[in-house]
Structures are given as structure tokens and as C-alpha cells.
Amino acid sequence: MTLLRDEGLTIEELTVWRMLQRAHVHIARHLESELLVAHDLPLASYDVLTQLAEAPARRLRMNDLAGRVLLSRSGLTRLIDRLQRDGLVAREACADDARGLFAVLTDTGAARLAEATPTYLRGIRAKFLDLLGPGEIGLVRDMLAKLPISAVH
Amino acid sequence: MTLLRDEGLTIEELTVWRMLQRAHVHIARHLESELLVAHDLPLASYDVLTQLAEAPARRLRMNDLAGRVLLSRSGLTRLIDRLQRDGLVAREACADDARGLFAVLTDTGAARLAEATPTYLRGIRAKFLDLLGPGEIGLVRDMLAKLPISAVH
DNA sequence: CTTAGAACGTTGCACAGACATCTAAACAGC
DNA sequence: GCTGTTTAGATGTCTGTGCAACGTTCTAAG
């Protein structure tokens, strides 16, 4: 605890970080298991499908996508492998850059996403939003907006 | 997006969750890599050492510890294996319950923790606390306090 | 045109983590 | 005491991820 003083942190500050950690892990695990049992869809896969669904023409370059879902390039390669195997995503060559590849959301993928989304949203509601007081959501947003939400280094 | 309406979530609410996700992952990765390069200590290990350091007599039952560091029992077993191999933690039998085991922080472990803590705290300061306005930390704490910080199910 | 360098994505490797299963010990109930 | 149930931890196995290295393609400098 002496160390805290050395770095000028209060115990409260440290606790806030720990709570943030625990809260996120807790919510993420809940979402993961709900999605898994109900739709056989890991959270990471859900995130990928969502990003693709929101992207123009339902497609995104691998590199681009990797940044958005907080995954390393290699991690994304394997994940897309699995999603492609399951027919939820397809790989398509990039016309103007032969190195590039698009990950494209298939119709099957879109359907699966639509099917899983209620579960996902209910989970967020139950484990996160409903527990906050009115107006606090805006507060949290403002707070989080100041944090580094940059891409993976 | 139509699905959002169906579940009564606004886009803002969904965004808040995503930002929380990104913020946590981003900070955690930063801490992890800093601890790794400077002290060869993964974040999970650091958390274990911290919990033990704060526990009475520097010891905690495996099961108890698993809950605090958000790790499965098997995950903790392996992690303690590694920490024991490195001499940072020792296993000790439990007097009044022959099934039980204590994980005990060794002096080496305590030293290593003390050595790594400045790095850890500096990271939290740089990637989290310093980015918030004054008074916001209390706000966040109150908010997070309402979230489910329960043990692993 | 040629060549050095950077960027995109994939692959080999090692490691961490979860789930299910297992053993040993404690705790019921009778 | 004896048996059935529960709990504490450890282990086998499988999945997922990151890092470093690689092949390929694009781009810039000479």
C-alpha cells in the first residue's frame, strides 16, 4: 500500500480500475455463455458478424476488421477460417489490391446474426444497462469517450 | 438496427457497452505488455500476487483465490503451477481441511510484486485515470458499484 | 526497369484457458 | 460406523490467441 503513495494513486482509484475489470469480464462471460448455448456462437464471432453487417456492402478488409474487433491479425485469420467453414462469412479477393481480402457476410451469416442479436441485447440489458440509474448511461459514455479506444498497436 | 428497437435499446446504449469493452481490452493489453517486457510477469500473475499480498498471512485457499482473480479453478491450478515453478508462490497444506491447499506468497514473490507495481500503477494512470476529469473517478466508482461484481458462476 | 522496402494476410509454434472428468477428503443421514 | 453426496484441487483434452517468420504484392527511388 505504500507503493500506492509512491505513484500518487489512491486506493479508490485502484479500486475503480479493478471494478472496471471485473465488470467487463463478468458481462462478457455472461454474453459469451448465453450466445454459446442458445446459438452456438462465441462472442468474438458475434462481434465479427456485427461489424460486417454494419459495414458498407457487408464487407471489410481483414486488416481493418482486425482492428475493430480487438483481435490480432492472426487471430482474425483463424476466426474467419471457422466462420467461413460454417458458411457465415466468405472471403473475396480485392479488385484493386491483389494482396487484400474482403471478409463478406453471407446471407446465412446475416440470418444467424439476426437470430442471435436478441440474446445479445437482452444480456447487455440485464447485466449492464438495467443496473444503472437513469442518466448514468450518458455519464458513462462521456467518461468512456475520453479513454483510448484506438486500434491495436 | 431494427433489432435494437425490438429489444428497446438505443444505439447510444449499445455504443456504451462497446466502448466499455474496447476500453478495458485496450488498457488490459497495455498493462500486460508493459508488465511482460519490464518484469516478465503476465497480468494474470500480477493479479494473483496482489491478491495474495493483500490477504491475511499472505495466503488464500485455491478456490477462494480463483474467484478473486476471475479465473476458473483449473486455470488457477496451472497458473499457480507456473508461479510455484518460478518460486513466487508456494503451496501449503491446510491444517483443518486435508483437501484444501493454500497458495502462499513467498518473499521472492513479494519482491517481484513490489518491483512490478510501479509499472502497473503507472500504466493505469497513463491509460485510464489521467484521461478522466477530476471527480469523474468517484462517478465511475458509483456507477460500477451497481454492476454485478459477483464471483464466477 | 530494377530493386529495396513496406504492407497484407497466412502459417508454425508455444502457451494460456475452459470444460469435463477424476481422486481424495469432508459431511450428511441413517 | 457405513454409504451417498458434496467439495477441493488436479489433470486430459481441445479450442483460441499472440508472436515471429514467411510468401506475395504493392510502391518508391535510382
Side-chain angles (χ1 to χ4, degrees), chain A residues 8 12 17-18 20 22 24 26 29 50 54 68 70 120 124-125 136 141 146 149-150 152, chain B residues 8 12 17-18 20 22 24 26 29 50 54 68 70 120 124-125 136 141 146 149-150 152:
Chain A
E12 184 194 25
W17 159 243
R18 285 197 191 168
L20 179 67
R22 293 185 73 87
H24 173 249
H26 190 269
R29 282 208 193 157
T50 304
E54 291 174 5
R68 305 200 189 200
L70 294 174
Y120 182 79
I124 293 177
R125 221 196 217 307
E136 275 189 320
R141 177 179 37 69
K146 300 181 178 177
I149 317 279
S150 59
V152 207
Chain B
E12 185 194 25
W17 159 243
R18 285 195 191 168
L20 179 67
R22 292 183 75 88
H24 173 249
H26 190 268
R29 282 208 193 157
T50 304
E54 292 175 3
R68 305 200 190 200
L70 295 174
Y120 182 81
I124 294 178
R125 196 153 262 321
E136 272 189 321
R141 177 179 38 68
K146 299 182 178 175
I149 317 279
S150 59
V152 207

Side-chain angles (χ1 to χ4, degrees), chain B residues 52 58-62 65 73-85 87-94 99-106:
Chain B
L52 291 178
R58 280 176 165 186
R59 74 193 53 217
L60 238 34
R61 291 283 295 265
M62 293 294 286
L65 186 54
R73 291 198 190 108
S74 69
L76 183 63
T77 294
R78 323 277 187 161
L79 181 48
I80 294 293
D81 283 347
R82 291 188 293 266
L83 292 174
Q84 191 173 27
R85 167 172 53 72
L88 307 181
V89 161
R91 272 184 243 248
E92 252 180 55
C94 182
R99 295 170 304 180
L101 276 181
F102 282 109
V104 189
L105 185 63
T106 64

Side-chain angles (χ1 to χ4, degrees), chain A residues 18-82:
Chain A
R18 285 197 191 168
M19 293 200 309
L20 179 67
Q21 236 182 335
R22 293 185 73 87
H24 173 249
V25 171
H26 190 269
I27 299 168
R29 282 208 193 157
H30 175 79
L31 289 179
E32 170 97 22
S33 78
E34 292 276 307
L35 284 174
L36 224 42
V37 301
H39 309 286
D40 194 32
L41 203 64
L43 184 54
S45 301
Y46 180 85
D47 280 341
V48 164
L49 297 186
T50 304
Q51 291 298 333
L52 290 179
E54 291 174 5
R58 282 174 163 187
R59 76 194 51 217
L60 237 35
R61 291 283 294 265
M62 292 295 285
N63 209 352
D64 201 351
L65 186 54
R68 305 200 189 200
V69 295
L70 294 174
L71 217 60
S72 71
R73 291 199 191 102
S74 68
L76 182 64
T77 294
R78 323 280 184 155
L79 180 48
I80 294 292
D81 283 347
R82 277 169 267 151

